[in-house]
Amino acid sequence: ARSRAGRASMGPPPSRLPLLAALVAAALLAGAAAATEEAYVTLLYGDEFVLGVRVLGKSIRDTGTRRDMVVLVSDGVSEYSRQLLEADGWIVKRITLLANPNQVRPTRFWGVYTKLKIFNMTSYKKVVYLDADTVVVRSIEDVFKCGKFCGNLKHSERMNSGVMVVEPSETVFKDMISQVDRLPSYTGGDQGFLNSYYADFANSRVYEPDSPLTPEPETQRLSTLYNADVGLYMLANKWMVDEKELRVIHYTLGPLKPWDWWTAWLVKPVEIWQDVRQKLEESLPGTGGGRNPHDQLVVKFLFILPFCLLLFGYYQSCFQNKKDFPSVQSLCAFARRGRHKYKSEEALPSYLAVGVSSSTFSTSNQRVSY
Ligand SMILES: *[C@@H]1O[C@H](CO)[C@@H](O)[C@H](O)[C@H]1NC(C)=O
């Protein structure tokens, strides 16, 4: 009787187990839902930028995030590329191109209005959009707290659409689409349109993760640290922001893209991108990173080529006919003059400084990537 009374006071035991199970399941579901409420997003229009997306994905995962990574792919992307990105851990979503009303503009802008579809990703509460030619060098999880729309200012008063934080909203998306025909676009693409749509963007306050503004502003600016373009680097041959605080590097320099191996010679920060590329996992057979032996051979060949040509020319002029002998002498005189000139320039401190800064670059680079 005692045990029955005890049981009665504790409630009917058979119903507790399912209740507990339901609670656990609910907690798990809530946890899973929380993990996918926010996502990193990028866009892929064709196979040309696949390596860019792979490196971007690797760099995002390396920051330790558990948020979704979504790549919106248009028709131009092959089945194999889609499989590869899925194997890398991307959620691949197929989209159709959103027609660009400003068709008079260069063809490379065709379809760029498709980027507006990010505003229609209403299954997420917040998305951080990154162009396929960016790489994350430090965790950027703190920008998910940014308000309705956050972007970066470039060229003094233009919003750059390469890195954006967006709160998807069907209302905003529909409003944008209704204005696509009317609003001007200085680039002929999405960036120009967004600059017209968020006309007052240049006056936005800078987003500070540790001191959120109330009420939440319509637009906020991200610091240059979240969208540091290599064009900026090239101006002074160094980052004009605190290098250790750098978060996202954006490889915007005309047609130079970090996946073209030779750009590493022209644009120093490409080394950071290449470091990530070399560590790519072999998601599908033969797709792992590492050094490409073919590229290394080409580099060695190109390095030796000028010396070979010089030697070849020298011996030709020596052995072909003796009349050319004075020209060899003048070549030597030219070389002497050149050496003398170099020595006198070496004494100038400015030249010395340039030499030192470029030679120590690789070590400062390392600091950035860790
Ligand atoms: C926007 O999102 C909604 C809901 O997911 C979808 O039905 C609609 O087709 C999308 N619009 C465009 C233009 O992609």
Side-chain angles (χ1 to χ4, degrees):
R2 247 185 71 197
S3 73
R4 225 183 288 142
R7 266 195 209 160
S9 69
M10 274 154 56
S15 69
R16 278 170 63 207
L17 201 64
L19 184 74
L20 201 68
L23 276 175
V24 169
L28 280 176
L29 272 176
T36 57
E37 266 176 7
E38 297 170 339
Y40 291 96
V41 180
T42 193
L43 259 172
L44 185 60
Y45 299 108
D47 284 356
E48 188 196 344
F49 279 47
V50 170
L51 189 56
V53 174
R54 292 195 72 204
V55 170
L56 172 63
K58 168 88 177 127
S59 74
I60 293 172
R61 276 287 173 254
D62 283 354
T63 66
T65 185
R66 298 179 66 85
R67 287 181 166 86
D68 280 2
M69 300 196 312
V70 182
V71 54
L72 305 177
V73 301
S74 66
D75 300 336
V77 179
S78 69
E79 171 70 27
Y80 176 78
S81 296
R82 277 182 268 137
Q83 279 174 4
L84 179 57
L85 292 175
E86 237 157 43
D88 275 356
W90 287 94
I91 296 169
V92 179
K93 287 197 174 156
R94 296 187 68 169
I95 50 160
T96 50
L97 296 177
L98 200 59
N100 181 344
N102 301 337
Q103 294 294 346
V104 286
R105 290 288 180 159
T107 48
R108 81 182 174 101
F109 288 121
W110 194 82
V112 283
Y113 275 70
T114 307
K115 213 186 239 185
L116 299 184
K117 289 204 173 181
I118 298 156
F119 291 85
N120 197 33
M121 295 177 72
T122 46
S123 57
Y124 291 103
K125 279 195 175 155
K126 195 74 70 74
V127 295
V128 169
Y129 171 81
L130 295 149
D131 267 351
D133 57 354
T134 60
V135 69
V136 178
V137 290
R138 248 180 87 125
S139 175
I140 53 168
E141 300 274 280
D142 54 2
V143 290
F144 280 100
K145 282 184 279 169
C146 204
K148 294 186 183 71
F149 180 79
C150 296
N152 190 261
L153 266 194
K154 288 271 170 72
H155 317 298
S156 303
E157 81 290 5
R158 296 290 197 194
M159 197 277 301
N160 180 273
S161 64
V163 178
M164 297 186 290
V165 185
V166 169
E167 196 177 275
S169 148
E170 209 180 335
T171 319
V172 172
F173 179 68
K174 279 185 175 157
D175 187 45
M176 282 179 171
I177 296 305
S178 73
Q179 301 201 43
V180 153
D181 301 335
R182 273 184 284 127
L183 289 181
S185 167
Y186 80 94
T187 57
D190 61 272
Q191 182 164 301
F193 172 79
L194 288 170
N195 270 282
S196 299
Y197 190 81
Y198 293 110
D200 200 35
F201 186 81
N203 294 320
S204 312
R205 291 268 300 269
V206 174
Y207 166 66
E208 286 172 58
D210 302 325
S211 47
L213 299 168
T214 43
E216 196 174 75
E218 283 297 306
T219 60
Q220 270 173 286
R221 283 169 49 194
L222 295 176
S223 131
T224 302
L225 296 169
Y226 295 94
N227 189 349
D229 65 302
V230 290
L232 189 77
Y233 180 93
M234 298 285 277
L235 286 176
N237 204 32
K238 65 178 181 197
W239 294 111
M240 286 185 261
V241 290
D242 185 3
E243 225 174 284
K244 292 188 292 297
E245 286 296 316
L246 216 55
R247 307 297 177 94
V248 180
I249 299 176
H250 194 177
Y251 294 90
T252 46
L253 206 72
L256 303 189
K257 288 297 164 204
W259 40 88
D260 298 322
W261 62 268
W262 44 269
T263 56
W265 283 14
L266 303 171
V267 190
K268 284 280 179 80
V270 167
E271 285 170 16
I272 300 171
W273 188 92
Q274 289 289 354
D275 275 352
V276 182
R277 186 195 62 78
Q278 280 177 23
K279 290 181 205 122
L280 279 178
E281 271 124 50
E282 193 177 68
S283 309
L284 293 182
T287 59
R291 292 188 175 276
N292 184 339
H294 174 258
D295 282 359
Q296 282 185 303
L297 198 71
V298 173
V299 167
K300 275 179 193 146
F301 174 73
L302 286 177
F303 190 76
I304 297 168
L305 191 66
F307 296 103
C308 293
L309 286 177
L310 207 67
L311 272 179
F312 181 71
Y314 181 77
Y315 279 110
Q316 275 244 319
S317 58
C318 274
F319 294 119
Q320 262 191 351
N321 52 47
K322 293 239 155 50
K323 276 182 203 154
D324 266 2
F325 195 65
S327 76
V328 175
Q329 275 185 324
S330 67
L331 188 75
C332 290
F334 179 75
R336 266 201 304 278
R337 272 205 306 278
R339 203 182 64 159
H340 183 71
K341 191 162 173 274
Y342 172 71
K343 273 195 164 175
S344 58
E345 275 173 353
E346 216 177 25
L348 291 172
S350 61
Y351 275 83
L352 212 62
V354 169
V356 168
S357 75
S358 57
S359 66
T360 53
F361 180 81
S362 54
T363 45
S364 51
N365 234 1
Q366 288 302 103
R367 266 187 273 121
V368 174
S369 53
Y370 288 109

